[in-house]
């Protein structure tokens, strides 16, 4: 297919600016527009003089000189001989003289070809591509239905219906593949964003696109591969479609007048066109490495993108799982720390060594370090203020003296403990140390729990705490005007 299309594409590229004219860059485009529009009006033959008069009257740009006949001839030569967008044929035409009478003369008449008409429509599609090429898969069902319809062994070629169905299938395939390429780009963009940002929203969106669009579309397209391969390998199908183009409802002039030479030439071109399109479609479903590399619309590129996106989602899931916190394990670790919180030494935080006067959206992003500007420091002299002990505010003691803590432990053992591991609070108690009184109050809170790792006393973990029915228990500390009341007494045991 590439070998067949190469000369045509080369000619179109040579005529890329439609005339190769330095002073009239849009002349070729305007001439195609004139031929496309005025050929439908009829009545007036479109000759060289008609084109020059029409162009100079209606299509001259600001500051552009009128188009001369010799320049117009060169533009028409490029459009006709190189690009094959127009065709010229000698005809007898009637030309009106200055006297008003008509004179018959031999002249060249120009008309736009099917390639020229398609060129105009394609350029309009290029302009509107942002609105027409979307990642929708709505035409997949239509494409699948047409493939199924064309795969029937016996198809009638009496009318142009078969040829029209084939054209509709190719059109639906082109729209579907444009949507597939757009979907492939969207998936790649989402995957790239997820790879760098670990965003939950991006992961959810990517998973939804895979589940709702990409995978169903790929599966549905892949199911049409065998039918397309069968049509591409069938010479009878290409002949039938080419015959159908010249069916009984064909409006082509060669068919109307019975020009067998033109009809045969048209049949051969149509059959070659059908074969090229079928080979292009079949190459999209060929899983071989060479077909994937050479086909512009292979569905396996989308398959590779889907695999990469699924692999990236799996990595993101593992990343999230590795970053999640087990609440039970964390609670146990905190409880273990609480049993020895008095002996913990927390190091002072390391000060940030990076300057804070740089303009950056994310100071922790080291990838932007190379784009940061130099740091500018301004020396400011600050007098040093000397402070004395008299400047210190009066504050309460924030820490408990170790001697007081030891006294509280001795009093706690004396009033509460029955032996080394067992203690009971079943009567009113009078304390002389605040530490002993506070530990008894805190220990009463353990009666409402089934685990006691957070209620360690003086560094000793508890094994069990049980409330007893002894009535209200009052706790008083010497030197205080108030007392603490407990709803009931309790009994406790330390771990051995």
């Amino acid at each position: 297919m590439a070998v067949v299309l190469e000369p045509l594409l080369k000619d179109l590229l040579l005529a890329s600016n439609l005339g190769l004219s330095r002073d009239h860059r849009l002349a070729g485009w305007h001439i195609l527009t004139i031929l496309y529009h005025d050929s439908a009006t009829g009545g007036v033959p479109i000759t060289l003089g008609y084109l020059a008069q029409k162009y100079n009257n209606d299509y001259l740009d600001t500051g552009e000189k009128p188009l001369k006949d010799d320049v117009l001839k060169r533009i028409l030569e490029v459009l006709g001989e190189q690009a094959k967008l127009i065709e010229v044929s000698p005809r007898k035409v009637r030309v009106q003289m200055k006297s008003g009478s008509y004179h018959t003369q031999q002249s060249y008449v120009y008309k736009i070809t099917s390639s020229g008409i398609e060129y105009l429509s394609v350029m309009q599609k290029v302009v509107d591509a942002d609105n027409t090429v979307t990642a929708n898969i709505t035409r997949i069902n239509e494409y699948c239905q047409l493939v199924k319809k064309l795969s029937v062994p016996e198809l009638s070629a009496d009318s142009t219906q078969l040829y029209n169905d084939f054209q509709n299938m190719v059109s639906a395939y082109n729209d579907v593949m444009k949507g597939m390429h757009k979907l492939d780009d969207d998936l790649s963009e989402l995957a790239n964003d997820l790879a760098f940002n670990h965003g939950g929203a991006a992961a959810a969106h990517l998973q939804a696109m895979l589940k709702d669009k990409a995978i169903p579309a790929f599966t549905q397209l892949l199911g049409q591969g065998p039918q397309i391969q069968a049509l591409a390998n069938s010479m009878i199908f290409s002949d039938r479609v080419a015959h159908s183009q010249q069916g009984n409802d064909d409006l082509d002039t060669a068919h109307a007048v019975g020009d067998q030479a033109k009809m045969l030439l048209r049949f051969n071109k149509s059959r070659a066109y059908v074969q090229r399109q079928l080979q292009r479609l079949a190459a999209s479903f060929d899983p071989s490495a060479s077909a994937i590399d050479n086909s512009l619309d292979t569905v396996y590129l989308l398959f590779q993108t889907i695999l990469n996106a699924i692999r990236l989602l799996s990595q993101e899931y593992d990343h999230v799982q590795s970053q999640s916190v087990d609440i039970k394990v964390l609670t146990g670790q905190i409880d273990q720390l609480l049993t020895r919180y008095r002996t913990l030494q927390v190091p002072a935080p390391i000060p940030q060594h990076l300057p804070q006067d740089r303009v950056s959206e994310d100071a922790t992003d080291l990838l932007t370090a190379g784009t940061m500007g130099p740091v500018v420091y301004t020396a400011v002299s600050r007098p040093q203020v000397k402070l004395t002990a008299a400047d210190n505010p009066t504050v309460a003691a924030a820490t408990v003296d170790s001697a007081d803590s030891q006294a509280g432990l001795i009093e706690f053992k004396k009033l509460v403990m029955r032996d080394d591991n067992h203690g009971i609070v079943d009567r009113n108690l009078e304390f002389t140390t605040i530490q002993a009184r506070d530990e008894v109050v805190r220990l009463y809170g353990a009666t409402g729990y089934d685990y006691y790792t957070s209620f360690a006393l003086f560094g000793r973990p508890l094994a069990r705490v049980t409330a007893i029915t002894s009535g209200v228990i009052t706790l008083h500390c010497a030197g205080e005007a108030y007392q603490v009341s407990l709803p009931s007494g309790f009994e406790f045991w330390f771990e051995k």
Side-chain angles (χ1 to χ4, degrees):
M1 180 179 63
V3 176
V4 176
L5 292 179
E6 184 176 353
L8 297 177
L9 294 175
K10 184 178 180 181
D11 291 340
L12 286 175
L13 291 176
L14 288 174
S16 59
N17 65 350
L18 297 180
L20 302 178
S21 177
R22 182 190 62 184
D23 299 325
H24 304 274
R25 297 185 181 277
L26 294 178
W29 178 264
H30 294 323
I31 289 172
L32 285 179
T33 305
I34 295 172
L35 292 174
Y36 181 69
H37 179 268
D38 291 8
S39 62
T41 59
V44 179
I46 302 179
T47 61
L48 182 68
Y50 179 88
L51 289 174
Q53 180 182 4
K54 183 73 173 180
Y55 179 87
N56 292 328
N57 289 340
D58 299 340
Y59 292 97
L60 282 181
D61 294 334
T62 303
E64 187 178 3
K65 297 179 181 180
L67 187 65
K68 297 181 180 180
D69 289 350
D70 55 344
V71 178
L72 179 58
K73 287 180 180 179
R74 288 197 301 269
I75 295 174
L76 291 174
E77 181 181 353
V78 173
L79 292 177
E81 296 182 5
Q82 295 187 19
K84 302 297 190 295
L85 299 180
I86 64 174
E87 64 180 17
V88 57
S89 58
R91 280 178 48 189
K92 292 183 178 181
V93 298
R94 298 179 64 196
V95 181
Q96 189 175 12
M97 309 300 291
K98 293 183 179 179
S99 62
S101 60
Y102 287 90
H103 173 69
T104 302
Q105 68 179 20
Q106 187 84 1
S107 180
Y108 287 102
V109 178
Y110 299 87
K111 71 175 184 177
I112 190 170
T113 63
S114 300
S115 300
I117 296 174
E118 190 67 18
Y119 189 91
L120 290 176
S121 62
V122 166
M123 292 305 296
Q124 187 62 43
K125 290 181 180 179
V126 172
V127 175
D128 299 331
D130 289 341
N131 299 323
T132 57
V133 179
T134 56
N136 66 75
I137 52 178
T138 54
R139 296 202 68 181
I140 289 185
N141 292 331
E142 178 186 356
Y143 167 72
C144 296
Q145 292 173 1
L146 289 172
V147 171
K148 182 179 179 180
K149 182 178 180 180
L150 294 176
S151 300
V152 176
E154 296 296 332
L155 294 173
S156 175
D158 296 338
S159 66
T160 59
Q161 183 62 45
L162 175 59
Y163 183 81
N164 293 336
D165 289 339
F166 178 79
Q167 286 287 79
N168 292 334
M169 183 196 71
V170 174
S171 175
Y173 170 84
N174 292 333
D175 288 346
V176 168
M177 281 303 165
K178 285 186 288 188
M180 289 296 101
H181 282 289
K182 186 67 168 58
L183 178 60
D184 184 90
D185 292 339
D186 292 343
L187 287 176
S188 300
E189 182 178 356
L190 271 175
N192 183 71
D193 182 66
L194 180 61
F196 281 96
N197 298 330
H198 295 289
H205 194 185
L206 181 60
Q207 187 175 10
M209 288 192 69
L210 288 175
K211 181 180 179 181
D212 300 336
K213 292 183 179 181
I215 295 178
F218 174 79
T219 304
Q220 198 169 5
L221 282 178
L222 201 61
Q224 310 308 314
Q227 290 88 342
I228 294 296
Q229 292 285 354
L231 293 178
N233 296 331
S234 174
M235 294 299 297
I236 299 177
F237 179 79
S238 301
D239 293 342
R240 284 183 177 273
V241 175
H243 280 298
S244 174
Q245 187 189 27
Q246 304 180 29
N248 51 27
D249 54 348
D250 181 26
L251 299 180
D252 189 82
T253 55
H255 186 268
V257 300
D259 190 341
Q260 297 297 326
K262 282 191 174 181
M263 291 177 64
L264 179 60
L265 180 62
R266 186 181 174 206
F267 171 80
N268 292 332
K269 288 184 176 181
S270 299
R271 181 174 60 183
Y273 161 75
V274 173
Q275 291 175 355
R276 287 199 306 270
Q277 294 297 326
L278 287 175
Q279 290 174 4
R280 179 171 70 93
L281 269 64
S284 301
F285 301 95
D286 191 344
S288 63
S290 59
I292 293 176
D293 292 338
N294 297 325
S295 177
L296 295 177
D297 294 323
T298 174
V299 296
Y300 293 98
L301 289 181
L302 177 64
F303 175 68
Q304 185 63 39
T305 304
I306 292 175
L307 282 183
N308 293 337
I310 293 176
R311 187 179 300 111
L312 191 61
L313 281 175
S314 301
Q315 295 175 359
E316 177 68 12
Y317 176 78
D318 295 338
H319 172 77
V320 172
Q321 292 299 315
S322 64
Q323 296 297 319
S324 61
V325 177
D326 192 333
I327 301 299
K328 292 183 178 180
V329 175
L330 180 61
T331 303
Q333 293 174 353
I334 293 176
D335 292 339
Q336 292 295 329
L337 289 175
L338 288 176
T339 60
R340 52 189 181 91
Y341 72 96
R342 298 179 184 276
T343 60
L344 289 178
Q345 293 182 357
V346 181
I350 300 175
Q352 290 186 344
H353 62 281
L354 292 178
Q356 298 299 311
D357 58 350
R358 294 186 178 183
V359 179
S360 177
E361 295 181 357
D362 186 4
T364 61
D365 187 4
L366 299 181
L367 295 177
T368 61
T371 61
M372 292 182 180
V375 181
V376 178
Y377 292 101
T378 303
V380 179
S381 59
R382 294 182 180 179
Q384 184 177 4
V385 180
K386 295 183 179 180
L387 302 177
T388 62
D391 297 316
N392 292 331
T394 303
V395 294
T399 58
V400 180
D401 193 346
S402 59
D404 295 338
S405 178
Q406 186 65 25
L409 176 59
I410 294 173
E411 185 176 21
F412 181 83
K413 290 181 178 180
K414 178 181 179 181
L415 296 178
V416 177
M417 298 300 295
R418 294 293 183 265
D419 54 38
D420 292 340
N421 298 322
H422 175 239
I424 186 171
V425 178
D426 56 356
R427 66 189 186 281
N428 299 333
L429 298 177
E430 187 73 23
F431 294 92
T432 59
T433 61
I434 298 177
Q435 289 76 14
R437 192 273 314 276
D438 290 345
E439 292 296 340
V440 172
V441 174
R442 191 170 67 88
L443 186 58
Y444 174 78
T447 58
Y449 292 86
D450 295 331
Y451 60 92
Y452 313 104
T453 53
S454 299
F455 298 95
L457 294 180
F458 299 102
R460 293 194 62 184
L462 290 171
R464 184 162 58 93
V465 180
T466 305
I468 59 177
T469 57
S470 60
V472 177
I473 301 297
T474 60
L475 308 176
H476 181 258
C477 186
E480 292 183 347
Y482 64 91
Q483 61 184 11
V484 179
S485 297
L486 302 180
S488 66
F490 59 90
E491 193 174 3
F492 61 92
W493 291 264
F494 288 115
E495 291 184 1
K496 296 181 181 180

